[in-house]
Amino acid sequence: VERLAGVMRESFLRDIYPRRKPVVLTGLELGTCTTKWTTDYLSQAEGSKEVKIHVSAVPQMDFLSKNFVYRTLPFDVFVRRAAEVKHKEYFLTEDERYYLRSVGEDVRKDIADIRKQFPILAEDVHIPEYFEKEQFFSSVFRISSAGLQLWTHYDVMDNFLIQVRGKKRVVLYSPRDAPYLYLSGTKSEVLDVDNPDLEKYPLFVKAKRYQCVLEAGDVLFIPALWFHNVLSEEFGVALNVFWKHLPAESYDKTDTYGNKDPMAASRAIQILDRALKTLEELPEEYRDFYARRMVLRIQEKAYRNDYG
């Protein structure tokens, strides 16, 4: 993934944004968070408010099999535990890993917004506003233990991943490689992208891998629909800012996480499911023939050939 230093808003919108490819922006003014957010400062700044966290006994978290548990801890206790490697107090094992993804007060109705959930910390952050104010969707505060890896997934909105503290490796795949990623909804079944089970996932070798390592102060632009897999190489503190690339009415009103497909896409998939159900009325030979014809129609009408 390309790294670019000191990119101003106008240059980003003119030269980088229209390409719809990930890029690491360095040297941006992010506020005092990059120097202030030590473990001690983080734990005392927001005190002992309760936070809901993911706790995992294994390094690779899998949202499909849910190989982790949700627990609640006071924020100051959580920060100190997430920064440790071995724990005196723990839920599952002494080397368990922790992950916080901030959420709104009512997760079904409210988006994550650092200004509301962590107002004191929010004062230390200068978010690069390379989008219009009305496009803003959410700002998600994240803290992760060293060695924790998140599942591969895509989001339906553009976002900046702002790495405030620690080192993070991000592996990305283009939307056009979706056929090779064994999707279940917005998530890939291929958990270990470094050593994939190729007997189970033989097509995965066709997916082109993009990769970058984010250091403290780096900002990764992840365009909507690009798949990403994140590994915290060190105790990490980050902030995601999501914004609406499409007109506001395109998105599902009940989406607080930014990962529900746009309304038109959801309707199209429902229509396709009904079409496939209708094909079941035919014998297998006919079903196969007309399914292939449908695939050709979709390719002719919808596939793009101008990806870089």
Side-chain angles (χ1 to χ4, degrees):
V1 176
E2 197 177 359
R3 293 176 69 88
L4 297 171
V7 175
M8 305 300 284
R9 185 180 195 268
E10 294 71 24
S11 173
F12 176 79
L13 292 174
R14 184 186 65 237
D15 304 325
I16 298 167
Y17 197 50
R19 283 162 38 195
R20 311 298 298 154
K21 284 193 172 177
V23 64
V24 178
L25 306 174
T26 65
L28 298 186
E29 176 47 59
L30 300 175
T32 56
C33 56
T34 48
T35 51
K36 276 174 84 172
W37 285 8
T38 62
T39 308
D40 286 344
Y41 174 75
L42 286 168
S43 55
Q44 60 85 23
E46 294 282 356
S48 58
K49 71 166 82 175
E50 301 263 286
V51 287
K52 190 177 181 183
I53 55 169
H54 304 67
V55 182
S56 179
V58 294
Q60 290 168 328
M61 280 172 60
D62 181 0
F63 197 81
L64 296 172
S65 70
K66 294 284 199 296
N67 66 346
F68 52 85
V69 295
Y70 291 105
R71 292 291 182 266
T72 303
L73 278 177
F75 183 71
D76 51 355
V77 175
F78 157 69
V79 170
R80 284 195 284 273
R81 280 216 215 165
E84 298 170 344
V85 177
K86 286 266 188 285
H87 313 294
K88 288 190 176 67
E89 293 180 56
Y90 52 85
F91 296 107
L92 305 171
T93 63
E94 64 174 8
D95 58 354
E96 67 193 13
R97 293 168 172 89
Y98 301 90
Y99 171 58
L100 166 71
R101 185 242 189 249
S102 66
V103 293
E105 275 60 45
D106 181 339
V107 292
R108 289 185 301 275
K109 294 179 188 163
D110 303 321
I111 50 129
D113 187 341
I114 191 172
R115 293 167 298 188
K116 291 179 182 166
Q117 286 98 42
F118 298 93
I120 295 162
L121 294 178
E123 290 176 18
D124 302 334
V125 186
H126 179 261
I127 292 171
E129 292 192 354
Y130 287 22
F131 48 89
E132 299 301 326
K133 279 206 168 16
E134 61 271 14
Q135 288 179 282
F136 171 83
F137 176 71
S138 65
S139 51
V140 181
F141 184 55
R142 300 181 193 269
I143 294 182
S144 177
S145 294
L148 189 69
Q149 188 169 5
L150 296 185
W151 54 91
T152 305
H153 68 284
Y154 71 87
D155 300 295
V156 300
M157 296 186 198
D158 293 341
N159 85 83
F160 279 147
L161 171 53
I162 302 165
Q163 190 66 17
V164 178
R165 180 167 168 199
K167 190 188 286 187
K168 191 170 276 177
R169 187 198 75 177
V170 186
V171 173
L172 303 112
Y173 300 95
S174 161
R176 79 173 309 181
D177 282 344
Y180 316 133
L181 296 179
Y182 297 87
L183 297 187
S184 176
T186 61
K187 299 159 190 72
S188 169
E189 290 179 20
V190 186
L191 208 57
D192 191 341
V193 294
D194 300 303
N195 299 289
D197 180 344
L198 294 179
E199 282 191 13
K200 198 172 179 185
Y201 308 116
L203 294 177
F204 185 69
V205 292
K206 293 188 173 188
K208 182 180 176 183
R209 175 180 174 131
Y210 295 78
Q211 183 173 313
C212 62
V213 174
L214 301 180
E215 307 275 356
D218 287 348
V219 176
L220 173 61
F221 167 54
I222 307 177
L225 310 183
W226 272 77
F227 296 88
H228 43 288
N229 176 289
V230 178
L231 167 65
S232 290
E233 296 186 353
E234 301 167 348
F235 167 68
V237 184
L239 182 68
N240 271 106
V241 184
F242 291 90
W243 70 91
K244 298 168 185 171
H245 173 55
L246 305 175
E249 62 274 12
S250 305
Y251 299 100
D252 188 325
K253 295 279 188 292
T254 66
D255 186 8
T256 56
Y257 283 87
N259 61 7
K260 288 191 179 180
D261 291 314
M263 302 290 281
S266 296
R267 287 200 308 275
I269 290 167
Q270 286 169 2
I271 292 164
L272 177 62
D273 287 342
R274 286 204 299 274
L276 292 170
K277 191 97 181 113
T278 307
L279 280 186
E280 288 174 15
E281 296 170 18
L282 293 166
E284 186 181 27
E285 182 186 352
Y286 284 78
R287 198 162 64 231
D288 179 277
F289 173 69
Y290 286 103
R292 287 168 194 268
R293 278 193 60 187
M294 286 165 69
V295 168
L296 286 171
R297 286 280 290 279
I298 291 172
Q299 280 185 314
E300 286 165 12
K301 292 279 185 190
Y303 273 32
R304 277 175 56 184
N305 297 314
D306 60 344
Y307 278 98

